[in-house]
Amino acid sequence: MSQILLAGGAGFIGSHTAVELLDTGYEVIIADNLMNSSAKSITRIEQITGNQLKFYQLDIRDTEKLEALFQENDISTVIHFAGLKAVGESIGKPVMYYRNNIDTTLSLLECMNKYNVKNIIFSSSATVYGEENPVPYNEEMKKGSCTNPYGWTKAMMEQILEDTAKSDKSMSVIILRYFNPIGAHETGLIGEDPQGIPNNLMPCAAQTAIGIRDHLTIFGNDYDTPDGTCLRDYIHVTDLAKGHVKAVEYAQKNKGVEIFNLGTGNPYSVTEIVETFEKVNGVTVNHVYGPRRDGDLPNCYANADKAMKMLGWKTEKTLEDMCRDLWKWQQMNPNGYKD
């Protein structure tokens, strides 16, 4: 089986993808600077799968160290998770986001070109659809006007990858547009471990339920939606990870650029998901409603038919599964990987 490099692979989505790849029989190499992740996730991945992986602690932008990694291994495919990802922080620190995320992508592509690696799978986001497109989003839509610098970095990186593939017909570029990954591995050994105050809804909800935070703030309850809160397409992180395995298989057999939505196609409101989390786990999440947050869209969900048709991928986990697995991770790891 070929070697797969997970750039930024120690994080939430990368660690779950590593598990699925190892379970499928691939050799996995993770390169991560651990800025937003923990080395403990590496040992937990090995514990879950019973397989070892190679880990390099490095910044993907450090071309000298990245080249050494490519020299030492026979990589067939790169999965690009590396990058900063907090929408709110990107609004406050746009230059940091553009510098980090775009430089990371350029460094990877330069190394891939030098060492003749032709397959890359990119971790993109539904945020590239912007404000103009109607839901559900499909891959034929033009990219919209992003509402924040994080989204713009994803749109720009997509363009860089598409242009690179046009210049080299032997390349395979798979762009995966994520919707809202939540949950955790069913063992409770790996999950989302936000640094500092969480930016995403469900880690905040879980931390509130366990008593780390005194309340959850839901931003905006005056949107034009059934209950006034935003509608989102929540997907179990394990389902998302399995989508990457399918993308690797596809990339190794096909050339050119393909874009796939990875979502369920079923939107839930923020209030709905908090109530489901409470009901499934028998807990209370103290929550208050605050003002709308900059950059949030009222409605965002996928049409995932293309991924089903071309990759043979579809989601299997329910919203209840997502809530149950997240709570198991939170209970087993109240302080994330710091425990």
Side-chain angles (χ1 to χ4, degrees), residues 31 40 75 125 180 211 216 230 237 249 262 269 273 288-289 303:
K40 284 188 181 176
I75 296 161
S125 166
N180 288 71
L216 164 73
C230 293
V237 65
E249 293 166 2
L262 295 186
S269 78
I273 196 165
V288 298
Y289 294 99
N303 176 326

Side-chain angles (χ1 to χ4, degrees), residues 165-225:
K166 278 180 196 167
S167 73
D168 182 352
K169 303 301 181 190
S170 64
M171 278 196 77
S172 177
V173 171
I174 309 292
I175 293 167
L176 300 178
R177 290 178 178 164
Y178 305 163
F179 281 72
N180 288 71
I182 61 169
H185 194 268
E186 63 187 6
T187 58
L189 290 171
I190 56 173
E192 189 169 6
D193 182 23
Q195 308 299 302
I197 298 170
N199 292 290
N200 296 330
L201 171 72
M202 293 315 290
C204 280
Q207 287 187 7
T208 302
I210 209 163
I212 293 170
R213 301 168 63 78
D214 63 341
H215 71 277
L216 164 73
T217 300
I218 295 174
F219 297 102
N221 63 345
D222 57 350
Y223 288 100
D224 185 18
T225 59

Side-chain angles (χ1 to χ4, degrees), residues 147-307:
T147 57
N148 54 76
Y150 162 75
W152 278 116
T153 67
K154 291 294 187 185
M156 289 174 183
M157 289 186 284
E158 284 194 13
Q159 191 63 51
I160 290 165
L161 289 161
E162 288 180 39
D163 289 343
T164 305
K166 278 180 196 167
S167 73
D168 182 352
K169 303 301 181 190
S170 64
M171 278 196 77
S172 177
V173 171
I174 309 292
I175 293 167
L176 300 178
R177 290 178 178 164
Y178 305 163
F179 281 72
N180 288 71
I182 61 169
H185 194 268
E186 63 187 6
T187 58
L189 290 171
I190 56 173
E192 189 169 6
D193 182 23
Q195 308 299 302
I197 298 170
N199 292 290
N200 296 330
L201 171 72
M202 293 315 290
C204 280
Q207 287 187 7
T208 302
I210 209 163
I212 293 170
R213 301 168 63 78
D214 63 341
H215 71 277
L216 164 73
T217 300
I218 295 174
F219 297 102
N221 63 345
D222 57 350
Y223 288 100
D224 185 18
T225 59
D227 64 16
T229 61
C230 293
L231 292 170
R232 291 290 180 267
D233 188 338
Y234 295 96
I235 175 173
H236 196 294
V237 65
T238 298
D239 279 335
L240 188 74
K242 288 177 179 176
H244 291 73
V245 179
K246 294 289 189 181
V248 168
E249 293 166 2
Y250 187 90
Q252 294 182 344
K253 295 174 186 172
N254 298 276
K255 303 301 177 192
V257 180
E258 288 292 350
I259 300 170
F260 297 101
N261 287 336
L262 295 186
T264 66
N266 298 311
Y268 294 93
S269 78
V270 172
T271 296
E272 243 181 312
I273 196 165
V274 171
E275 288 174 350
T276 302
F277 184 86
E278 291 180 317
K279 183 178 176 184
V280 165
N281 298 311
V283 296
T284 299
V285 178
N286 295 322
H287 57 276
V288 298
Y289 294 99
R292 294 185 184 192
R293 187 169 57 180
D294 285 346
D296 279 346
L297 296 173
N299 204 342
C300 177
Y301 65 99
N303 176 326
D305 292 348
K306 184 179 177 183

Side-chain angles (χ1 to χ4, degrees), residues 27 29 46 52 55-56 118 146 148 178 194 217 238 291 311:
E27 287 185 50
I29 302 162
E46 293 177 333
Q52 288 193 310
F55 172 56
Y56 292 77
K118 298 297 185 180
C146 299
N148 54 76
Y178 305 163
T217 300
T238 298
L311 299 180

Side-chain angles (χ1 to χ4, degrees), residues 44 188-190 328-337 339:
R44 303 278 185 92
L189 290 171
I190 56 173
K328 184 174 183 178
W329 154 258
Q330 185 69 63
Q331 286 181 299
M332 287 176 63
N333 308 272
N335 301 300
Y337 291 114
D339 288 323

Side-chain angles (χ1 to χ4, degrees), residues 87-157:
V87 168
E89 184 181 56
S90 80
I91 293 168
K93 300 177 179 177
V95 173
M96 183 173 81
Y97 269 69
Y98 287 116
R99 170 65 74 189
N100 183 87
N101 291 4
I102 292 170
D103 278 4
T104 301
T105 304
L106 295 173
S107 295
L108 273 175
L109 287 170
E110 285 167 353
C111 256
M112 286 174 64
N113 182 55
K114 187 167 182 178
Y115 293 94
N116 203 36
V117 178
K118 298 297 185 180
N119 305 324
I120 184 166
I121 293 153
F122 176 55
S123 164
S124 192
S125 166
T127 191
V128 303
Y129 288 111
E131 297 178 284
E132 300 88 349
N133 288 305
V135 289
Y137 298 137
N138 69 68
E139 297 88 346
E140 302 302 313
M141 292 173 172
K142 287 187 177 181
K143 291 195 283 280
S145 295
C146 299
T147 57
N148 54 76
Y150 162 75
W152 278 116
T153 67
K154 291 294 187 185
M156 289 174 183
M157 289 186 284

